[in-house]
Amino acid sequence: MSPFTGSATRTPDWRHLRLTVDEGVATVTLARPDKLNALTFGAYADLRDLLAELSRDKSVRALVLGGEGRGFCSGGDVDEIIGATLAMDTAQLLDFNRMTGQVVRAIRECPFPVIAAVHGVAAGAGAVLALASDFRVADPSARFSFLFTRVGLSGGDMGAAYLLPRVVGLGHATRLLMLGEPVRAPEAERIGLISELTEEGGAAQAAQTLARRLADGPALAYAQTKALLTSELDMPLAAAIELDASTQALLMNGEDYAEFHAAFTEKRPPKWQGR
C-alpha cells in the first residue's frame, strides 16, 4: 500500500473496533461481545480503512487481531447485514461484497505480519479474517466454521476459495467450504489451519508474544517475505525465482543486512532498523 496520502487526515478514532499501539505492536479488538463480535457495515469499513492507515504508518511492525468476550468473531450480523442486503439491488450488493473483499486484500497486502488470536467461534467472515492472517494462534476452545453455503451463498466468499486450499489443501477446503461444518481446534491444528495451539485461554498472550518477536525483528525482511508469499502463489517457478533474486538484491543493499554482518563480527545481537 502506498505511503502517500491525500487531503484526508488520519484518525485515532474508530467507532467499530478498538485499537492500541505499543512499541510497534498494534492490537485491533473487535468489540461487540454481546453479539459475539458480529461484523456490521461500519466494522468492515473501519477494518479496511484502519489497515490502510497502519500500512502507511512506519511505526507499526506487527498487528494482533482479536475479539472481546466469548469468541473471536461470529461473522456478519444477521439483522444488520443479511437483513439489509435483502433490500439491496445488484449494484449495491456488488459494492458491499467488494468492500468485504477489500478487507481481506488489506490483510494480505499490509507490510507487517497479522496474527489472529482466536478463541471460541470464528464463523463466516470471522473465519475468513483469521484465514487471511499470516498466523492463527488459537486456544482449545477455537472452532472455525465457513458458513456461507448454510445461508444459501457460495462458499467462496471474501477470497475463501482462493486462500483456504492454499492453507489446508483442496480436499479439506472443499469439505469445509461445501458443508460449512465447524472445525474444532485439534483438527484445525492437524490440517494446518492453526499456526499455534495454546493452553486454554492462552491465545491472546501467545499472539502478543509472537507479535513482539516479529516487531523486534527485521521488519523489512518480514514485509518482503509476506509480499513474496502472496505474489508467488500463482507464478510459474521461473518468474518466482526472478522476483526472489530482485528482492534479495534490494535487501542486500539495505541497512539491516549490513547490521547483521557487523553484529556477527562484533559478537552482539543485531539492532534491526527495518531498512
Side-chain angles (χ1 to χ4, degrees), residues 36 226 229:
L36 277 175
K226 176 173 180 172
L229 285 167

Side-chain angles (χ1 to χ4, degrees), residues 51 61-65 104-117 128-137 163 167 192-196 210 214 222-230:
L51 286 162
R61 295 188 170 202
L63 184 147
V64 174
L65 178 62
V104 170
R105 283 192 61 183
I107 293 173
R108 293 306 316 145
E109 294 175 2
C110 64
F112 43 76
V114 177
I115 305 155
V128 182
L129 292 180
L131 172 66
S133 300
D134 301 290
F135 300 89
R136 286 158 297 283
V137 177
L163 292 170
V167 173
L193 186 55
I194 287 176
S195 310
E196 178 184 348
L210 177 57
L214 291 164
Y222 292 152
Q224 292 305 117
T225 301
K226 176 173 180 172
L228 292 178
L229 285 167
T230 299

Side-chain angles (χ1 to χ4, degrees), residues 37-60:
N37 302 316
L39 298 168
T40 62
F41 294 112
Y44 280 116
D46 268 4
L47 279 170
R48 176 200 61 196
D49 295 345
L50 172 62
L51 286 162
E53 281 205 10
L54 294 180
S55 294
R56 291 188 288 265
D57 184 348
K58 298 300 184 183
S59 67
V60 173

Side-chain angles (χ1 to χ4, degrees), residues 17-171:
L17 47 84
R18 189 166 63 248
L19 168 68
T20 61
V21 180
D22 179 22
E23 296 183 348
V25 175
T27 301
V28 176
T29 305
L30 305 174
R32 295 183 77 207
D34 56 319
K35 297 284 190 178
L36 277 175
N37 302 316
L39 298 168
T40 62
F41 294 112
Y44 280 116
D46 268 4
L47 279 170
R48 176 200 61 196
D49 295 345
L50 172 62
L51 286 162
E53 281 205 10
L54 294 180
S55 294
R56 291 188 288 265
D57 184 348
K58 298 300 184 183
S59 67
V60 173
R61 295 188 170 202
L63 184 147
V64 174
L65 178 62
E68 183 179 325
R70 296 180 293 114
F72 176 71
C73 176
S74 59
D77 188 288
V78 173
D79 295 322
E80 295 196 32
I81 287 187
I82 296 180
T85 54
L86 293 174
M88 292 181 179
D89 62 27
T90 301
Q92 292 170 314
L93 291 170
L94 185 56
D95 283 343
F96 165 64
N97 282 285
R98 282 175 172 162
M99 177 179 69
T100 65
Q102 287 165 359
V103 176
V104 170
R105 283 192 61 183
I107 293 173
R108 293 306 316 145
E109 294 175 2
C110 64
F112 43 76
V114 177
I115 305 155
V118 183
H119 71 290
V121 64
V128 182
L129 292 180
L131 172 66
S133 300
D134 301 290
F135 300 89
R136 286 158 297 283
V137 177
D139 70 22
S141 72
R143 60 188 186 280
F144 300 82
S145 302
F146 298 87
L147 296 173
F148 307 108
T149 60
R150 294 199 168 196
V151 301
L153 297 176
S154 163
D157 194 58
M158 296 172 62
Y162 178 89
L163 292 170
L164 193 58
R166 290 163 168 80
V167 173
V168 302
L170 180 60

